[in-house]
Amino acid sequence: MVDTGRKDRVGEFRGVAGPYWALRPVCGGQEWEAEPEHVRLADPIERLRAQNARCNARSRGEVL
């Protein structure tokens, strides 16, 4: 998912928190809340970049 309200930040959908959607960075980290009207599906290149960032973080030992 892409949060257009936060400079196109890419995250994984984690659930609904009241009127907001909870998103988490693909490489792990703290969740954030996004307004549903500012969230869209990530396009293929955005997903690839996020997956690549996760693989790089895992190789550095930052992600389990």
Side-chain angles (χ1 to χ4, degrees):
M1 307 299 294
V2 177
D3 184 355
T4 60
R6 294 190 187 236
K7 299 181 182 177
D8 292 341
R9 189 173 180 189
V10 178
E12 298 173 337
F13 178 79
R14 304 300 286 176
V16 177
Y20 302 103
W21 288 1
L23 302 177
R24 181 179 177 162
V26 176
C27 294
Q30 188 169 354
E31 291 183 0
W32 76 93
E33 293 180 346
E35 296 178 12
E37 61 268 13
H38 294 285
V39 177
R40 63 173 174 79
L41 290 175
D43 64 32
I45 192 70
E46 290 168 323
R47 285 193 300 271
L48 181 61
R49 285 182 184 136
Q51 291 167 350
N52 189 47
R54 181 177 174 81
C55 288
N56 288 339
R58 187 174 44 204
S59 72
R60 293 188 300 264
E62 298 171 8
V63 176
L64 296 177

